Amino acid sequence: LFNNEKIALLSSLFMAVSFEAVQYARWLSNPPPALLTTAIFFYGLWLVWNKKPVGLPLMLFIWGFSVDFQFFLVYQIVFVIGVFFYLLFKKKEILIRSFKSFYWLYIASIVPWVFYITAELKFGFQGIRALLGFMTKHGNGSNPSIFPKLMNFINSLIRNIAVNLTGNDKQIAFYLLFIFIGYVIYLFIIKKKFRGIILFLLVWFLSPVIIYPLEKNYSYFLNIGNLYP
């Protein structure tokens, strides 16, 4: 992103020793692969940002695997659709090159859905029923209005910071989140050279907000992968 080896190495180190990476490395089921596919998905978005034809088919291909690993990551389709229409109306030549050069990747995007449909048939549509329950069954203290759900998203970001940086002190984590968002906005205003990168990282960091208005269980793992940015 920044063409800076020090930033790359520090970011890799921080991620490797983070609470999220350590926690998911101990998990025996589905979250660990989703941590990887989410990163690849947003790398595809970055490639689109940089006018690379492979960006959209990479996003589409890896999105299917993300859904295989964590069904709620179906919300990432919002970015796939958004990118498609952006290219269709703004960068049609890139979209055409994408279909011509990476048609095999579009075809391969069917593969993860074969896995998904096979599993659904084998286990009596367990995933679909879980998805419906995820969006319809109320957890403790849930509220149907949008504001509490958005507050839940903010609280989840505070929790991310707390478990990774502040020894689970959520009050300090709240101040860090406030400072972080404010500083990012400040950089966006004064650092014109890096506006694209900053906006990309901010979109990635805040992307889970898309799923929060839909879910009704107040699940704690919805922010998987947003520690990278």
Side-chain angles (χ1 to χ4, degrees):
L1 285 177
F2 294 94
N3 293 315
N4 186 304
E5 192 175 73
K6 291 181 180 179
I7 292 177
L9 289 171
L10 281 172
S11 299
S12 300
L13 173 63
F14 293 153
M15 184 65 199
V17 300
S18 69
F19 174 83
E20 184 170 63
V22 173
Q23 174 187 235
Y24 286 144
R26 293 161 53 86
W27 207 313
L28 297 180
S29 59
N30 54 349
L35 199 61
L36 175 62
T37 57
T38 296
I40 298 173
F41 179 86
F42 281 97
Y43 175 63
L45 181 60
W46 177 248
L47 291 175
V48 171
W49 199 297
N50 286 276
K51 302 178 177 62
K52 304 293 185 182
V54 71
L56 177 58
L58 179 61
M59 290 175 67
L60 185 62
F61 173 70
I62 209 68
W63 170 65
F65 285 105
S66 292
V67 176
D68 283 345
F69 299 140
Q70 281 286 19
F71 63 87
F72 70 85
L73 289 173
V74 68
Y75 79 82
Q76 291 178 348
I77 189 63
V78 171
F79 292 98
V80 176
I81 294 174
V83 164
F84 174 77
F85 281 107
Y86 166 74
L87 293 177
L88 181 64
F89 293 110
K90 296 292 186 178
K91 303 289 182 181
K92 188 174 292 186
E93 70 283 356
I94 296 178
L95 185 62
I96 294 173
R97 285 169 52 201
S98 173
F99 284 122
K100 286 183 177 180
S101 301
F102 300 99
Y103 65 89
W104 53 272
L105 198 51
Y106 283 105
I107 296 173
S109 299
I110 300 172
V111 172
W113 295 103
V114 173
F115 296 151
Y116 187 85
I117 294 170
T118 301
E120 287 296 279
L121 292 174
K122 180 177 180 180
F123 297 108
F125 301 98
Q126 179 178 324
I128 292 176
R129 286 189 283 109
L131 180 60
L132 291 174
F134 180 75
M135 295 188 291
T136 57
K137 294 179 182 178
H138 291 254
N140 293 331
S142 62
N143 192 305
S145 62
I146 190 71
F147 182 73
K149 293 181 179 181
L150 293 178
M151 286 303 300
N152 185 49
F153 173 63
I154 294 174
N155 289 333
S156 73
L157 296 180
I158 294 172
R159 179 182 180 277
N160 283 160
I161 295 174
V163 297
N164 280 286
L165 295 176
T166 67
N168 218 23
D169 188 322
K170 293 185 178 180
Q171 185 172 4
I172 297 177
F174 166 76
Y175 292 124
L176 284 178
L177 178 64
F178 182 80
I179 293 170
F180 168 72
I181 296 295
Y183 186 61
V184 167
I185 294 173
Y186 169 75
L187 288 178
F188 183 81
I189 294 173
I190 68 168
K191 297 284 187 180
K192 294 182 179 180
K193 179 181 178 181
F194 296 115
R195 280 183 179 176
I197 295 173
I198 293 170
L199 184 59
F200 168 73
L201 290 173
L202 196 59
V203 167
W204 185 352
F205 180 68
L206 298 176
S207 63
V209 73
I210 296 173
I211 193 66
Y212 274 83
L214 300 178
E215 72 95 18
K216 296 188 178 182
N217 288 302
Y218 283 10
S219 302
Y220 63 89
F221 49 81
L222 297 178
N223 291 347
I224 183 170
N226 82 327
L227 190 64
Y228 284 111

